[in-house]
Amino acid sequence: MGNVFGRKSRPSRVTEQDRAILQLKQQRDKLKQYQKRTNLQLEKERILAKQLLKDGKKEKALVLLKKKRYQDQLLDKTENQISNLERMVQDIEFVQIEMKVIEGLKVGNDCLKSMHEAMSLEDVERIMDETQDAIDYQRQIDELLAGSLTQEDEDAVLAELEAITQGEELELPEVPSEPLPEVPEAAEPEPERRGARNKECGEMLSA
C-alpha cells in the first residue's frame, strides 16, 4: 500500500491545446446530434402537416409549417457553428505542427551552435594547413625517390611487384658491403715468353 500511494505520478502528456481540441470536438459532436434529432422531428412535422391538409385542418398545418421554417433557420445556424468549430480544431492542430517544427529547428540550431563552439574557424584553418603541408612533404619524398632510382632499379621494383601480385616472393641477391679488390694488370702468358726467348737464342747462334 505504501508503494502504491508513494509512487510518483508521471507527468501528463496532454497539453492545454489537446484539451481545447477535445472540448471543441465534443461541442461539434453535440451540435451534430442536435442537427440529426431536429431533422427527424422536421420530417415528422412535415408528414403531419400534409395529413392535416388532407383532413381540412389548414390552420394547424400552417402553424406546423411556420414552426418547421423556424427550425430550418436554426439548423442553418447550427451548420455554420459546426463549420466554425471544425475550422478552429484544424487551426489549433496546424499550430501544434508548426510548434513541433520550430522545436525541431531550435534543437538543430543548438546542435550546430555547440559543434561550431567545439571547433572554431581557426582550428579548421589550422587543420587544413597541416594537411596541405603533409601532402606537400609526401610529394617531395615521392619526387626524391623517383629521381634517385636508375633504370635497373625501376626494373627490379617492377619485377618484385609482379612477383607479389602473383603470390610469390622475389629473392633478391644481397649486395656486398665490402669493396671489391682491385684487378692487377694482366701478365704475359707463359708460352709467349718462352717463344720469345727461343727466338733470341736462335738469332745469337746464327750470328
Side-chain angles (χ1 to χ4, degrees):
M1 296 295 291
N3 293 334
V4 174
F5 291 103
R7 183 182 302 169
K8 294 182 179 180
S9 59
R10 295 182 179 179
S12 177
R13 295 183 179 180
V14 180
T15 62
E16 294 296 330
Q17 292 82 8
D18 295 334
R19 294 190 181 92
I21 291 174
L22 179 61
Q23 292 178 359
L24 291 172
K25 288 183 177 180
Q26 289 174 346
Q27 294 175 4
R28 178 203 61 190
D29 294 340
K30 288 180 180 179
L31 288 174
K32 287 184 176 181
Q33 291 174 0
Y34 167 77
Q35 197 177 39
K36 185 178 181 180
R37 289 196 306 267
T38 303
N39 284 323
L40 292 175
Q41 184 65 28
L42 290 176
E43 183 63 22
K44 291 180 181 179
E45 291 178 354
R46 188 183 67 81
I47 295 173
L48 181 59
K50 186 177 181 180
Q51 184 64 38
L52 290 172
L53 288 174
K54 287 183 180 180
D55 295 340
K57 298 177 181 180
K58 184 177 179 180
E59 293 296 329
K60 289 185 178 181
L62 185 60
V63 171
L64 283 178
L65 291 175
K66 288 182 179 179
K67 181 181 179 183
K68 178 179 179 299
R69 178 63 180 174
Y70 175 73
Q71 289 178 335
D72 285 338
Q73 293 176 354
L74 292 179
L75 286 177
D76 292 337
K77 292 181 180 179
T78 302
E79 185 65 29
N80 292 332
Q81 291 176 351
I82 290 175
S83 298
N84 292 332
L85 290 173
E86 290 179 345
R87 187 180 302 109
M88 188 171 294
V89 169
Q90 292 175 357
D91 292 340
I92 295 175
E93 289 176 343
F94 184 74
V95 171
Q96 285 181 318
I97 294 175
E98 288 184 330
M99 291 177 62
K100 291 181 180 180
V101 172
I102 293 174
E103 290 177 357
L105 292 174
K106 183 178 181 299
V107 172
N109 188 30
D110 294 339
C111 181
L112 288 175
K113 186 177 179 181
S114 62
M115 293 174 67
H116 291 162
E117 291 177 352
M119 180 172 290
S120 62
L121 183 60
E122 290 78 8
D123 294 336
V124 175
E125 292 178 349
R126 178 179 54 81
I127 293 174
M128 295 299 294
D129 292 338
E130 292 178 353
T131 302
Q132 187 60 42
D133 292 340
I135 294 174
D136 294 339
Y137 182 73
Q138 183 62 39
R139 185 181 297 114
Q140 293 176 2
I141 293 176
D142 294 339
E143 292 175 354
L144 290 175
L145 291 175
S148 62
L149 295 179
T150 62
Q151 185 60 41
E152 184 179 357
D153 295 329
E154 293 287 348
D155 295 339
V157 171
L158 293 176
E160 183 178 3
L161 178 62
E162 182 68 20
I164 292 175
T165 55
Q166 294 178 359
E168 300 177 358
E169 294 185 357
L170 184 64
E171 296 182 0
L172 298 177
E174 296 183 358
V175 179
S177 58
E178 298 179 357
L180 296 175
E182 295 182 357
V183 178
E185 294 182 0
E188 293 183 358
E190 186 67 23
E192 292 183 359
R193 290 202 304 268
R194 186 177 303 165
R197 289 179 182 176
N198 293 334
K199 185 177 181 181
E200 292 177 357
C201 293
E203 292 177 353
M204 291 177 65
L205 290 174
S206 61

